Amino acid sequence: ITKIGKSAFEGDYGFTTLTIPATVIAIGTDAFKGMYKAKEGSTPAKGLTTLVINGANNTYSGTDLTNSDIPAAFSGNELLSSVTVGSTTATGIAESAFADAALTVIDLSAAAELATIGSDAFPTGCKLTTVKLYGTKLTDASPEADKICTIDLSGAKATLATLTFPAEYATLAKMQFKNFVALTAIDLSVTKVTSIPVFIFFR
């Protein structure tokens, strides 16, 4: 499989786990949109919960190929709790790629060429437990207190347990992890960070 067409799986809530193989180089618009069905009475919500992306560094619409890396083709998946990007070719994740997801796990550690994450690619307010970024080329070009590489951590103060930083990170000067009460593991070992600011992990 090298291409997945427009809206190929849109609205199909029968899937809970989806793995996109490394052979895939093109994903169509809305290919995996809304693979979710809301709760109806006593019937629980259904849909995609686990996503692994090992391929895809283009979007595909008809015969048109445009370089967009991991596209915004996964919106409307409100049960999506785990996203792993293992693609070794994708250099970016599109803006709003995973809008509406209720993520607990973001693992980008095997995405060796990943250098950018679009704004709101990962939604604000997720109860994240695990964020792994160490194998990427992401940087701290615009660090903010509650963000790491545009991933908003402000909603995860009570849940975030494991956080691994990218190798290109050089400073923690603007970051603040005060009252992140669940943190048990932080890995800075592959980074360029040379100092840890006062009170940064204060509880």
Side-chain angles (χ1 to χ4, degrees), residues 6-96:
K6 178 181 179 181
S7 300
F9 292 86
E10 183 175 355
D12 194 332
Y13 55 83
F15 291 91
T16 58
T17 301
L18 180 67
T19 300
I20 299 172
T23 54
V24 172
I25 60 170
I27 295 177
T29 306
D30 297 332
F32 305 100
K33 180 180 179 180
M35 297 175 68
Y36 167 79
K37 185 178 181 181
K39 178 180 178 181
E40 293 182 352
S42 61
T43 304
K46 299 178 181 179
L48 187 67
T49 61
T50 303
L51 175 65
V52 178
I53 303 173
N54 292 323
N57 61 337
N58 288 281
T59 56
Y60 173 65
S61 179
T63 57
D64 177 48
L65 281 170
T66 55
N67 187 18
S68 300
D69 300 308
I70 306 298
F74 307 92
S75 64
N77 289 302
E78 295 184 28
L79 291 183
L80 184 58
S81 61
S82 176
V83 170
T84 299
V85 177
S87 172
T88 57
T89 56
T91 59
I93 296 176
E95 187 174 312
S96 303

